[in-house]
């Protein structure tokens, strides 16, 4: 679909509307909004270290040093997309953290579907794709105290009304809701739709009630049944992706037919 060249939104994110619609949500307790930040995740981490409460929501209209996984950068254009970090303090072990990434991915899929009828797929561990192009990425970072989680930061970059052009300089072809539908979407409304769902799913996940999520994220996964290459500092592993397990780990059958369980950590995945 041809990209519609529209000027950037005149009005920025409607923070008053968000405050109002989120007044009963944990994400309405402490909304931190900046026109420009280096990175909403870095800001949320600093706030986490200073003891900011669960539900702290950091938003920016633009980032000067937006970060992705594996040291990559995240590109966006001012006033066009969602650049958001959620600070959570779940009473869980570090190896359960990536369930939260998956639960946020589901909430984003459903929020996007409700405002646009698009149906993104999950590219494990942290990306959302539409027709082979990246629509969103989630950067999950956490801090541990003793053996338990002190805080988790879930950073979401979602291309709503702008996506980077594929001029050969970006690693993955990207898209946006506008590029796919030709229609601009209210970011405040979309964010509310995502957070509303995420809060419900988060509470369920904390009660160990993850069966329904586990089934849904397997259904929405674009890698299952495909040949993949998992790259890490230790080298490459080839195999067939078979499942995402209850902790959000990817199960692959390697070339010897052995099951391997891959935790998201420092790996990147190539789909063939
Ligand atoms: C990835 O694709 O590897 C994850 C990208 C995550 C980008 C978001 S934008 C908001 C938040 N702040 C950051 O610096 N990164 C995340």
């Amino acid at each position: 679909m041809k990209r519609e060249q529209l000027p950037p939104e005149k009005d920025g994110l409607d923070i008053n509307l968000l405050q109002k619609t989120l007044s009963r949500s944990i994400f309405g307790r402490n909304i931190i909004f900046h026109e420009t930040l280096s990175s909403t995740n870095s800001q949320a981490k600093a706030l986490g270290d200073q003891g900011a409460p669960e539900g702290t929501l950091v938003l920016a209209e633009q980032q000067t040093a937006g970060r992705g996984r594996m040291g990559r950068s995240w590109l966006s254009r001012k006033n066009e997309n969602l650049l958001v970090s959620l600070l959570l303090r779940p009473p869980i072990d570090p190896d359960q953290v990536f369930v939260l990434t998956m639960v946020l991915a589901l909430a984003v899929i459903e929020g996007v579907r409700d405002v646009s009828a698009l149906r993104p797929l999950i590219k494990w561990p942290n990306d959302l794709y539409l027709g082979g192009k990246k629509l969103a990425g989630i950067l999950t970072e956490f801090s541990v105290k003793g053996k338990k989680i002190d805080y988790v930061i879930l950073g979401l970059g979602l291309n709503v009304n702008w996506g980077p052009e594929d001029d050969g300089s970006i690693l993955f072809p990207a898209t946006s809701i506008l590029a796919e539908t030709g229609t601009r979407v209210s970011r405040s409304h979309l964010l509310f739709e995502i957070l509303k769902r995420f809060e419900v799913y988060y509470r369920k996940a904390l009660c160990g009630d993850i069966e329904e999520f586990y089934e849904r994220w397997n259904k929405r996964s674009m890698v299952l049944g495909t040949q993949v290459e998992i790259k890490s500092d230790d080298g490459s592993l080839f195999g067939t992706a078979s499942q995402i397990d209850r902790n959000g780990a990817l199960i692959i059958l390697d070339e010897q037919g052995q099951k391997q369980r891959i935790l998201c950590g420092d790996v990147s995945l190539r789909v063939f």
Side-chain angles (χ1 to χ4, degrees):
M1 187 173 294
K2 196 170 172 337
R3 229 163 252 245
E4 210 182 320
Q5 291 300 327
L6 291 175
E9 252 175 25
K10 274 195 224 84
D11 312 316
L13 272 167
D14 191 338
I15 301 300
N16 287 336
L17 180 71
L18 270 175
Q19 296 269 16
K20 220 196 262 162
T21 50
L22 292 173
S23 63
R24 292 195 184 161
S25 158
I26 52 168
F27 300 113
R29 286 180 192 161
N30 190 25
I31 300 181
I32 312 286
F33 170 72
H34 290 267
E35 285 291 329
T36 304
L37 273 178
S38 57
S39 148
T40 57
N41 261 41
S42 302
Q43 174 77 4
K45 276 168 74 177
L47 291 168
D49 290 335
Q50 291 159 24
E54 160 142 301
T56 295
L57 179 65
V58 182
L59 300 162
E61 287 290 16
Q62 71 176 354
Q63 299 181 127
T64 52
R67 299 186 284 110
R69 288 178 68 246
M70 319 270 305
R72 295 177 189 133
S73 49
W74 183 259
L75 301 176
S76 186
R77 195 207 263 174
K78 189 169 184 186
N79 284 13
E80 298 288 25
N81 291 335
L82 284 175
L83 305 166
V84 185
S85 297
L86 314 180
L87 191 160
L88 301 168
R89 295 189 181 275
I92 59 173
D93 295 334
D95 67 353
Q96 296 170 306
V97 159
F98 294 101
V99 170
L100 303 180
T101 312
M102 303 301 291
V103 168
L104 179 59
L106 283 177
V108 176
I109 287 173
E110 291 168 15
V112 168
R113 182 199 58 201
D114 281 9
V115 302
S116 69
L118 295 169
R119 305 267 297 167
L121 291 171
I122 300 171
K123 182 180 167 213
W124 184 91
N126 67 323
D127 292 337
L128 294 185
Y129 269 67
L130 274 170
K133 293 182 177 178
K134 184 159 169 168
L135 179 74
I138 298 171
L139 178 63
T140 302
E141 300 181 293
F142 57 93
S143 163
V144 175
K145 233 185 211 166
K147 287 194 172 150
K148 286 282 181 189
I149 287 294
D150 180 18
Y151 63 80
V152 178
I153 308 298
L154 295 178
L156 169 69
L158 172 56
N159 295 337
V160 183
N161 295 318
W162 181 85
E165 291 292 336
D166 190 3
D167 59 2
S169 70
I170 56 170
L171 204 53
F172 306 103
T175 192
S176 66
I177 296 177
L178 174 61
E180 297 294 325
T181 62
T183 308
R184 294 186 75 89
V185 163
S186 154
R187 294 171 301 145
S188 315
H189 177 59
L190 173 56
L191 181 57
F192 169 68
E193 290 296 326
I194 293 169
L195 294 178
K196 182 177 80 179
R197 283 178 180 80
F198 176 74
E199 186 169 358
V200 175
Y201 300 167
Y202 174 58
R203 290 190 197 287
K204 280 195 176 181
L206 288 189
C207 296
D209 194 2
I210 61 159
E211 209 55 30
E212 61 168 302
F213 305 132
Y214 162 75
E215 277 174 23
R216 267 149 64 196
W217 72 55
N218 271 287
K219 264 196 201 139
R220 300 305 301 159
S221 171
M222 66 183 263
V223 300
L224 301 188
T226 61
Q227 299 294 311
V228 295
E229 177 186 8
I230 308 284
K231 279 192 189 166
S232 70
D233 290 346
D234 300 336
S236 280
L237 177 68
F238 292 89
T240 306
S242 72
Q243 196 188 25
I244 297 166
D245 77 8
R246 284 167 176 72
N247 279 343
L250 178 69
I251 310 296
I252 69 166
L253 286 179
D254 69 16
E255 288 168 313
Q256 285 72 44
Q258 300 292 317
K259 268 192 186 175
Q260 304 279 351
R261 187 169 179 268
I262 317 290
L263 274 170
C264 337
D266 288 332
V267 296
S268 69
L269 171 140
R270 193 151 72 98
V271 185
F272 295 99

